[in-house]
Amino acid sequence: MKNDVLHPALISNRPLVASIIFVAIASSAIFLLSSAVSAVNADPRDDAYHYMKNGIDDQLYNEWWYFNGRDGDTHFMLTFLLSDPDNLTAYRWIQVQVILLQNGQIPILGSHQSRGFGGDRNSPMFDIDKNGFSSDQEGRIHIRGEVEDEATSELFRWDLVYEAAADPWYAIPTQTKTGQSGWMKWLVYMPSANVTGSFTIGNRTVDIDGTGYHDHIWGRFPLNDPQFTWAEASNPAENFSLSYREIWENRTEDNPKTYLGIQKDGESIEFSGGQVTANYTDYSEYAIDNATMVHPARYSISADNGDWSLELAVGVFESIPTVLDYPRPMLDRLDLQQLALLQGTLRSKSGEEYVFEERGFSGYSSQLDLLRNDGV
């Protein structure tokens, strides 16, 4: 096994890691329907706030909006998380978290938790105190916020605009089982986006003019339960986007829970279930507290839906560990937010071929206690 490039500040400072909740299951992913079923168009109401109290597993309700982006050697990830909105378990999370990575610099990490929030059921809009996002009449999403950098306590602000470069589609438009219990829905609202704006750290400003991605997940399930692998990349100039996800629980050889979707030149190409085969070929490991995390570092994916075939290789080159702590005997949740290289070839049965090599994002999520090596 090889070791990832991990930031020591994240590994050595558990409170820091625990405060930065990255929900890798969010976010990040794709339109994943059987080739026999048409993909479902989405409108702004689908990316809106969905929680409605009904007295059935309200304590298991989770909803989050995930945004990422890159501009050259600058990468960033933002998550707006709502978990147990009515605080029925006393472990409610109403939080925004942000990670900014720049080549050769210590990562900038921040989060803000609140007791209240505001949401809109008709359009993408969510507010957590001074942080939030909203859409305009042209469908662009404006994201703003401010937190303190966990390492330096400097004020960390952002002001970004996401403009879709590909159509929204539902990854999971109907409830699907996830984890040991529960269900989720999954919308990839912007599989590819043009992102402009800036981050400000203290007196330093980082201007952004790059490529982004945005998805949205909601459902009723224990947040520390599901286990996922995911990857995504896009190139707006090439009218190309790709996202992949595998739900590890409840999968069988006859019913693999793998989902893969591509948009190329306005055409949606979908693979799922038995049409997709994933081969995890290389693993990395590292220690955090008294636990060892083993996760896929390289994997290959083959897919064929009868009209199109795909050969894809995903290689992780940097990982950011984040932990969601739960009191004993509940299991903690460990998520890896990763930078990855996606390389592949897409072929049609009519002879078309598209070869790509794109920097993107990937992730792996698991229960940390499943990997405890100290028996505690």
Side-chain angles (χ1 to χ4, degrees):
M1 297 181 180
K2 67 179 182 180
N3 290 323
D4 270 341
V5 178
L6 295 173
H7 297 288
L10 293 173
I11 299 174
S12 61
N13 190 340
R14 178 61 181 273
L16 169 63
V17 176
S19 68
I20 309 297
I21 302 174
F22 166 61
V23 187
I25 59 180
S27 1
S28 335
I30 186 101
F31 316 110
L32 314 172
L33 300 172
S34 167
S35 63
V37 179
S38 297
V40 179
N41 275 310
D43 64 32
R45 290 173 298 178
D46 295 293
D47 200 34
Y49 162 69
H50 290 291
Y51 175 63
M52 296 184 68
K53 185 175 182 178
N54 62 17
I56 303 174
D57 293 331
D58 290 330
Q59 78 281 4
L60 299 179
Y61 186 84
N62 300 296
E63 185 165 7
W64 62 86
W65 296 258
Y66 169 74
F67 301 83
N68 71 32
R70 64 179 178 85
D71 181 5
D73 290 329
T74 298
H75 298 79
F76 54 91
M77 310 87 164
L78 296 106
T79 303
F80 293 85
L81 171 65
L82 176 63
S83 181
D84 183 12
D86 292 319
N87 202 25
L88 300 176
T89 64
Y91 309 124
R92 174 177 61 189
W93 293 94
I94 302 172
Q95 176 171 293
V96 58
Q97 59 85 25
V98 59
I99 302 175
L100 177 67
L101 302 173
Q102 292 183 279
N103 192 32
Q105 299 190 36
I106 295 174
I108 299 170
L109 313 170
S111 67
H112 171 75
Q113 295 185 38
S114 177
R115 294 182 179 180
F117 64 92
D120 187 346
R121 298 191 186 279
N122 296 309
S123 66
M125 193 281 279
F126 196 71
D127 282 320
I128 304 176
D129 300 329
K130 295 181 180 180
N131 303 274
F133 60 85
S134 60
S135 62
D136 61 20
Q137 292 183 345
E138 285 72 38
R140 295 170 298 201
I141 296 181
H142 296 245
I143 310 173
R144 83 278 179 204
E146 65 176 50
V147 297
E148 286 189 356
D149 175 19
E150 297 280 357
T152 66
S153 296
E154 286 187 301
L155 195 60
F156 180 21
R157 299 187 181 97
W158 59 91
D159 188 351
L160 302 168
V161 177
Y162 276 64
E163 185 171 5
D167 291 334
W169 294 84
Y170 258 111
I172 303 176
T174 57
Q175 297 179 8
T176 188
K177 183 177 173 62
T178 183
Q180 299 301 314
S181 61
W183 59 269
M184 71 163 49
K185 292 185 178 182
W186 180 14
L187 170 67
V188 183
Y189 196 63
M190 292 185 178
S192 181
N194 297 301
V195 185
T196 56
S198 64
F199 289 91
T200 302
I201 309 96
N203 296 320
R204 180 168 66 93
T205 297
V206 179
D207 292 322
I208 299 295
D209 186 358
T211 300
Y213 166 92
H214 160 47
D215 70 6
H216 179 187
I217 288 178
W218 64 98
R220 296 173 190 266
F221 56 89
L223 189 58
N224 62 340
D225 193 8
Q227 185 177 8
F228 299 93
T229 307
W230 65 269
E232 71 83 20
S234 71
N235 185 336
E238 293 285 325
N239 296 310
F240 170 77
S241 66
L242 179 151
S243 295
Y244 162 80
R245 183 176 295 272
E246 179 173 16
I247 302 174
W248 287 41
E249 290 85 7
N250 308 312
R251 60 178 179 170
T252 66
E253 184 175 347
D254 295 330
N255 183 30
K257 303 186 75 171
T258 52
Y259 309 94
L260 174 64
I262 294 172
Q263 287 195 42
K264 181 69 177 81
D265 296 328
E267 180 176 359
S268 177
I269 303 166
E270 304 146 9
F271 310 88
S272 67
Q275 298 172 346
V276 186
T277 302
N279 182 24
Y280 297 94
T281 57
D282 195 5
Y283 290 80
S284 292
E285 65 177 3
Y286 64 88
I288 179 169
D289 286 353
N290 293 315
T292 299
M293 182 61 159
V294 179
H295 64 90
R298 174 170 288 276
Y299 45 99
S300 59
I301 298 168
S302 298
D304 194 320
N305 65 10
D307 296 318
W308 292 87
S309 64
L310 173 73
E311 294 297 328
L312 171 67
V314 179
V316 176
F317 59 85
E318 189 164 3
S319 293
I320 308 296
T322 61
V323 175
L324 179 60
D325 281 321
Y326 283 90
R328 300 285 183 167
M330 300 174 68
L331 301 177
D332 293 341
R333 179 169 190 84
L334 178 61
D335 296 289
L336 295 180
Q337 184 156 336
Q338 301 169 326
L339 307 183
L341 182 66
L342 280 69
Q343 302 168 288
T345 302
L346 176 68
R347 296 184 179 90
S348 73
K349 293 302 187 250
S350 61
E352 299 173 79
E353 182 175 287
Y354 178 66
V355 179
F356 59 90
E357 179 176 304
E358 300 291 345
R359 286 183 299 160
F361 294 79
S362 62
Y364 175 73
S365 304
S366 182
Q367 294 173 328
L368 180 61
D369 283 20
L370 294 178
L371 304 172
R372 289 277 178 186
N373 58 24
D374 62 347
V376 177

